[in-house]
């Protein structure tokens, strides 16, 4: 009797799991795999819904990319931003995590504050920063008032300054995420290791270098990979802050794809660029994950 | 055994979910009325109340219609209309779009020509291959140069410049008095392009009204010598320091405030700026057309102001009736004149008929519409046969921003030719 009940219970549990898995798989297929396949198909066409054309053109879109200066500029900008932000946000994340790795209430509150930028919508974050960074914004007003600047500086109005400003905002947003990841990683380090290090007289930076940093390796893999992927497909913050300007100098590849599809009506070509971005993201993610995983294994 | 029905249930659930997502077109019959979707956009002047009131008034004159308003997330209604089209939700009525973007795919239905001819001062101001897709209820001049009379006086400038030489002289005098000569909201690409729109409209289209048609026919290029010479004028303004150095960081909205509060002496902008002139200091502002080499008046002109009708609307006749009612409603025109600086173009009516309160600078600017002068299509703004191909506006805006920091006029113009070639394919 008991055996049968146990079997029934196990079957029921399996059915529940199968249901959940089927749902997840269904959603994945409908909202990810299917659009991806449709996009792949479109990338081999000259699809332009406003000229009612959708003919198969082979690899023409892919060969066109080789001579597309705007695409090259957008890829360069995106890669600089992705690697710059990833390095800065992860460095800040480690720093904040070390500072906030305490148990008192005030530190728990500060952890929440540190995570706040990640919770806010990118559009809201960008609007807030826009009021700070525009020509008549809070930053210029303050810097002119205290005499650090003679006249307002175009934080969003010159190509290099705009790259820096966007990098700053995205780093601020991403540092919330990286802080939480590194905090979790820090808390998973066995206390015994620190105790033993103390007994051996290992302290300060040496302890960080020999124990903490190596033990953060799994967190680093997650944090670096997700930061890179997030910035590689960044769209919302840039759209609000600069719209890709001035003169397309801050146009990310994601923004370029949207402009190609919905301003220039070149859906086929936009799909090909989207495929390129997907491939590039996969390549970067796999390479970085591979390198960082090796570091984990060697521990 | 049990896995198959479960999987089937999941698939059915997902299909139902996707079907539900796709069915929300907001249209159809609702309690005996035909529901039509209407894409609008909001600005500080054309706010939610304006659209709601105008819809209520036009609906009252169109029995059997129920309008479901769709608000574009930005002023880029063309871009949003394209997104809706691609997701199978193309609106039945579309306010102030660029018809040439949509006509190629047969998405728009033209208005009845007899009705257009009977009601508008310039019936073909907005026509596309002989058909009118948006009634020319009002017009704009894009750009005019607005100026601050007090700042001109301070700099010893006695009259508004008419020639390019006088314009440069005025800029030099203003700069010498430490007054920023020209305001530019360069952070918003469309606003950044205003001086370039003025220069190209005045110097190129002013001499050859058919320049854009010639460009379509490949008879002229952006990289031609006359265009390079004209665009070099913009570089002269930049390199002479007649714009604020940080102008590319100034938002359009901030540029209005900066100009109206006396931070700059001149402001090249579309005539919709007239709706932002402060009432209490309105007499301090004047306007003049973008100056030409010899002082000839060239007016970069745009006709439009109303809505297009989807050829696939649930009831195109009813949609057209609604569009007609909206286009002729004097209350709409009153609001557009007072808040958006629109120049009314309805036959048989004067400003007085709309019971509007307008400023002297509005009247002076509007006078250019009625005068017999050289009206040309404002490049990048015209929505008639002279509309730029899809995507070219963005390229033009980017060139304007690039030329603020780069000296390579010929290179930027060559890029426009390349963009044109791609867009026209």
């Amino acid at each position: 009797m008991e055996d049968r009940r146990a079997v029934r219970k196990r079957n029921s549990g399996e059915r529940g799991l199968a249901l959940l898995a089927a749902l997840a798989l269904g959603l994945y297929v409908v909202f990810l795999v299917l659009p991806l396949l449709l996009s792949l198909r479109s990338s081999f066409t000259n699809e332009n819904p406003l000229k009612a054309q959708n003919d198969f053109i082979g690899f023409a879109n892919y060969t066109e990319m080789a001579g597309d200066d705007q695409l090259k500029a957008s890829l360069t900008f995106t890669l600089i931003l992705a690697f710059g932000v990833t390095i800065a946000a992860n460095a800040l994340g480690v720093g904040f995590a070390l500072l906030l790795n305490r148990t008192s209430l005030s530190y728990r509150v500060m952890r929440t504050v540190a995570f706040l930028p990640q919770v806010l919508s990118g559009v809201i974050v960008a609007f807030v920063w826009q009021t700070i960074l525009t020509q008549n914004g809070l930053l210029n007003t303050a810097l002119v008032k205290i005499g650090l600047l003679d006249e307002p500086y175009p934080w969003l109005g010159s190509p290099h300054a705009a790259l820096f400003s966007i990098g700053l905002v995205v780093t601020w947003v991403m540092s919330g995420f990286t802080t939480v990841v590194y905090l979790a990683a820090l808390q998973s380090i066995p206390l015994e290791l620190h105790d033993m290090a103390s007994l051996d007289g290992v302290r300060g930076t040496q302890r960080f270098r020999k124990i903490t940093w190596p033990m953060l390796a799994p967190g680093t893999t997650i944090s670096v990979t997700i930061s890179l992927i997030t910035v590689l497909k960044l769209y919302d913050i840039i759209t609000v802050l600069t719209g890709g300007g001035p003169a397309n100098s801050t146009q990310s590849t994601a923004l370029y794809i949207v402009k190609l599809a919905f301003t220039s009506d070149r859906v086929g070509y936009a799909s090909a660029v989207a495929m390129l971005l997907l491939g590039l993201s996969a390549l970067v993610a796999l390479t970085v994950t591979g390198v960082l995983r090796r570091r984990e294994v060697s521990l | 055994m049990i896995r198959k029905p479960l999987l089937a249930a999941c698939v059915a659930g997902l299909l139902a979910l996707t079907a539900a997502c796709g069915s929300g077109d907001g249209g159809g019959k609702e309690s005996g009325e035909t529901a039509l979707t209407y894409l609008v956009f909001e600005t500080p002047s054309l706010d939610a109340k304006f659209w709601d009131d105008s819809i209520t008034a036009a609906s009252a004159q169109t029995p059997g219609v129920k309008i479901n308003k769709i608000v574009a997330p930005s002023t880029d209604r063309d871009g949003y209309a394209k997104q809706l089209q691609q997701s199978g939700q193309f609106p039945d009525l579309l306010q102030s779009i660029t018809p040439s973007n949509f006509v190629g795919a047969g998405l728009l239905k033209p208005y009845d020509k007899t009705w257009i001819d009977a009601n508008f001062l310039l019936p073909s101001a907005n026509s596309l291959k002989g058909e009118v897709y948006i009634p020319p209820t009002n017009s704009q001049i894009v750009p005019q140069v607005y100026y601050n009379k007090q700042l001109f006086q301070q700099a010893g400038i006695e009259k508004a410049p008419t020639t390019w030489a006088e314009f440069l002289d005025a800029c030099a005098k203003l700069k010498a008095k430490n007054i920023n000569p020209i305001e530019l909201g360069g952070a918003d690409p469309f606003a950044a392009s205003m001086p370039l729109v003025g220069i190209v409209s005045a110097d190129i289209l002013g001499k050859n009204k058919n320049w854009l048609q010639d460009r379509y026919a490949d008879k002229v290029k952006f990289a031609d010598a006359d265009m390079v010479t004209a665009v070099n004028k913009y570089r002269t303004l930049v390199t002479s320091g007649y714009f604020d150095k940080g102008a590319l960081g100034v938002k359009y909205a901030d540029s209005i405030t900066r100009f109206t509060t006396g931070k700059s002496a001149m402001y090249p902008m579309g005539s919709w700026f007239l709706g932002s002139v402060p009432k209490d200091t309105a007499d301090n502002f004047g306007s003049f057309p973008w100056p030409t080499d010899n002082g000839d008046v060239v007016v970069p002109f745009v006709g439009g102001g109303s809505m297009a009708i989807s050829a696939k609307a649930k009831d195109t006749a009813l949609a057209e009736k609604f569009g007609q009612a909206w286009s002729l409603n004097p209350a709409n025109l009153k609001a557009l004149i007072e808040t958006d600086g629109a120049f009314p173009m309805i036959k048989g009516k004067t400003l007085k008929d709309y019971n509007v309160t307008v400023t002297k600078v509005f009247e002076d600017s509007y006078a250019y519409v009625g005068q017999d002068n050289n009206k040309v299509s404002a490049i990048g703004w015209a929505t008639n046969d002279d509309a730029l191909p899809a995507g070219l506006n963005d390229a033009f805006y980017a060139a304007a921003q690039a030329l603020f920091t780069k000296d390579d006029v010929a290179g930027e113009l060559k890029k426009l030719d390349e963009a044109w070639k791609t867009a026209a394919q």
Side-chain angles (χ1 to χ4, degrees):
Chain A
M1 279 291 281
E2 274 181 15
D3 281 352
R4 247 186 248 164
R5 231 180 288 151
V7 169
R8 262 208 306 271
K9 201 173 169 187
R10 197 173 58 240
N11 283 347
S12 154
E14 278 178 4
R15 278 201 298 272
L17 285 174
L19 178 67
L20 287 173
L23 258 173
L25 185 69
L27 287 168
Y28 185 78
V29 168
V30 171
F31 292 110
L32 204 85
V33 177
L34 201 59
L36 194 67
L37 291 174
L38 289 172
S39 195
L40 181 66
R41 183 197 152 278
S42 175
S43 74
F44 294 105
T45 69
N46 62 356
E47 185 178 354
N48 181 331
L50 296 173
K51 282 185 180 167
Q53 63 183 33
N54 192 0
D55 307 316
F56 181 76
I57 55 167
F59 285 91
N61 286 328
Y62 289 93
T63 50
E64 186 184 334
M65 280 192 251
D68 186 342
D69 291 338
Q70 269 205 67
L71 174 62
K72 284 174 200 162
S74 77
L75 282 171
T76 308
F77 168 80
T78 305
L79 287 170
I80 291 172
L81 190 72
F83 283 100
V85 166
T86 300
I87 292 166
N90 280 275
L92 279 174
V94 172
F96 286 147
L98 289 170
L99 280 175
L100 298 174
N101 191 22
R102 311 275 192 282
T103 48
S104 72
L105 180 66
S106 57
Y107 281 98
R108 276 184 297 197
V109 171
M110 278 159 66
R111 272 183 227 166
T112 311
V113 173
F115 191 61
L116 206 60
Q118 190 66 35
V119 178
L120 293 172
S121 139
V123 173
I124 292 169
V125 165
F127 271 116
V128 170
W129 276 95
Q130 198 181 56
T131 61
I132 296 170
L133 295 169
T134 52
Q135 200 69 359
N136 306 323
L138 297 173
L139 183 63
N140 275 331
T141 309
L143 292 176
V144 170
K145 213 158 216 173
I146 58 177
L148 283 175
L149 286 180
D150 292 331
E151 54 185 21
Y153 186 77
W155 298 105
L156 298 173
S158 86
H160 290 112
L163 168 63
F164 170 79
S165 301
I166 290 171
L168 178 83
V169 176
V170 182
T171 299
W172 181 70
V173 172
M174 288 308 300
S175 65
F177 166 75
T178 55
T179 302
V180 170
V181 171
Y182 285 115
L183 256 175
L186 274 178
Q187 286 167 5
S188 67
I189 300 174
L191 280 175
E192 293 81 0
L193 275 178
H194 288 296
D195 293 341
M196 284 159 65
S198 293
L199 286 173
D200 292 341
V202 181
R203 297 183 195 286
T205 50
Q206 205 185 2
R207 191 199 288 186
F208 176 78
R209 215 157 39 84
K210 300 278 184 190
I211 297 171
T212 313
W213 180 239
M215 294 302 287
L216 284 178
T220 309
T221 307
I222 294 167
S223 181
V224 167
T225 310
I226 292 183
S227 302
L228 270 174
I229 293 171
T230 305
V231 186
L232 282 172
K233 61 187 175 67
L234 193 68
Y235 172 78
D236 50 0
I237 291 176
I238 296 173
T239 301
V240 176
L241 267 184
T242 63
N248 294 334
S249 61
T250 61
Q251 183 169 256
S252 66
T253 310
L255 184 52
Y256 183 50
I257 291 167
V258 172
K259 280 190 181 174
L260 279 171
F262 297 111
T263 305
S264 304
D265 312 331
R266 303 188 65 205
V267 174
Y269 186 57
S271 299
V273 177
M275 287 298 124
L276 175 76
L277 182 62
L278 179 72
L280 182 74
S281 302
L283 182 72
V284 169
L286 287 172
T287 309
V288 169
T289 311
V291 170
L292 293 176
R293 276 265 161 83
R294 270 206 294 277
R295 189 172 154 254
E296 285 176 43
V297 172
S298 68
L299 282 176
Chain B
M1 284 282 281
I2 199 127
R3 279 181 189 162
K4 274 186 184 172
L6 268 174
L7 203 60
C10 291
V11 172
L14 279 169
L15 285 174
L17 179 72
T18 48
C21 291
S23 69
D25 63 359
K29 290 264 180 192
E30 289 183 15
S31 61
E33 291 175 319
T34 301
L36 299 175
T37 49
Y38 176 24
L39 174 67
V40 302
F41 60 98
E42 290 180 359
T43 68
S45 307
L46 307 178
D47 58 9
K49 187 177 181 312
F50 166 77
W51 294 112
D52 291 342
D53 290 350
S54 71
I55 289 169
T56 306
S59 299
Q61 292 177 47
T62 319
V65 75
K66 178 173 186 329
I67 297 295
N68 292 328
K69 183 178 77 169
I70 302 170
V71 183
S74 74
T75 52
D76 179 16
R77 52 268 185 195
D78 280 340
Y80 192 53
K82 288 174 187 178
Q83 289 179 34
L84 292 172
Q85 192 264 334
Q86 289 202 38
S87 56
Q89 303 171 86
F90 194 61
D92 299 316
L93 295 154
L94 306 97
Q95 183 71 31
S96 301
I97 56 160
T98 308
S100 59
N101 280 343
F102 303 92
V103 166
L107 289 168
L108 300 183
K109 173 191 180 299
Y111 277 82
D112 171 28
K113 262 191 194 162
T114 324
W115 177 79
I116 294 282
D117 289 341
N119 287 289
F120 300 102
L121 286 173
L122 292 173
S124 59
N126 201 28
S127 71
L128 194 66
K129 293 187 170 64
E131 301 284 4
V132 176
Y133 295 92
I134 293 187
T137 56
N138 59 63
S139 61
Q140 307 270 7
I141 298 174
V142 192
Q144 276 189 314
V145 185
Y146 301 96
Y147 70 99
N148 182 316
K149 292 178 183 173
Q150 211 177 355
L151 295 180
F152 264 41
Q153 213 172 8
Q154 273 179 39
I157 305 162
E158 288 164 5
K159 67 175 190 66
T162 54
T163 67
W164 180 249
E166 286 173 4
F167 183 65
L168 288 182
D169 186 50
C171 289
K173 283 179 177 167
L174 287 159
K175 201 183 171 203
K177 288 279 177 189
N178 224 9
I179 299 165
N180 184 43
I182 309 170
E183 183 58 51
L184 187 75
D188 284 298
F190 84 88
S193 75
M194 279 299 159
L196 211 51
V197 175
I199 288 169
V200 174
S201 299
D203 283 18
I204 303 297
L205 279 88
K207 288 174 187 160
N208 174 13
K209 270 189 186 196
N210 295 320
W211 192 90
L212 284 159
Q213 290 310 305
D214 287 350
R215 183 65 194 81
Y216 271 105
D218 241 359
K219 290 181 190 165
V220 294
K221 301 264 190 214
F222 279 98
D224 287 348
D226 58 343
M227 183 69 89
V228 174
T229 306
V231 176
N232 265 315
K233 286 182 168 180
Y234 177 57
R235 282 299 300 164
T236 303
L237 297 177
V238 176
T239 52
S240 306
Y242 296 153
F243 297 106
D244 189 302
K245 265 193 284 183
L248 290 189
V250 178
K251 299 288 292 176
Y252 164 61
D254 292 335
S255 70
I256 293 176
T257 312
R258 283 163 60 94
F259 174 65
T260 53
T261 53
K263 300 277 191 303
S264 306
M266 292 185 276
Y267 188 40
M269 187 43 64
S271 50
W272 54 82
F273 163 73
L274 291 163
S276 305
V277 173
K279 299 283 176 287
D280 50 343
T281 56
D283 289 345
N284 189 35
F285 297 99
S287 71
F288 58 90
W290 188 270
T292 51
D293 287 331
N294 57 9
D296 285 351
V297 171
V298 177
V299 177
F301 192 72
V302 182
S306 185
M307 69 191 74
I309 305 161
S310 164
K312 290 165 186 165
K314 278 160 231 58
D315 185 339
T316 51
L318 191 69
E320 185 166 358
K321 266 187 199 163
F322 178 84
Q324 291 176 346
W326 193 98
S327 303
L328 297 179
N329 185 350
N332 291 348
L333 264 298
K334 178 178 161 62
L336 287 167
I337 294 164
E338 288 183 336
T339 63
D340 210 39
F343 300 138
M345 301 295 286
I346 295 178
K347 256 185 194 169
K349 291 205 184 263
T350 64
L351 273 182
K352 279 183 187 166
D353 296 320
Y354 297 104
N355 192 26
V356 288
T357 312
V358 293
T359 57
K360 174 79 168 55
V361 62
F362 180 97
E363 286 173 352
D364 292 347
S365 304
Y366 183 35
Y368 287 105
V369 174
Q371 287 166 9
D372 184 18
N373 48 30
N374 187 9
K375 289 187 185 63
V376 301
S377 291
I379 186 165
W381 292 89
T383 54
N384 54 14
D385 288 318
D386 285 340
L388 296 180
L392 241 289
N393 276 46
D394 269 12
F396 190 77
Y397 299 156
Q401 286 184 323
L403 288 170
F404 195 84
T405 51
K406 276 195 234 163
D407 210 20
D408 186 15
V409 171
E412 287 301 320
L413 292 175
K414 198 174 158 223
K415 275 189 204 169
L416 283 181
D417 281 321
E418 284 160 8
W420 187 292
K421 193 178 162 191
T422 308
Q425 272 170 2

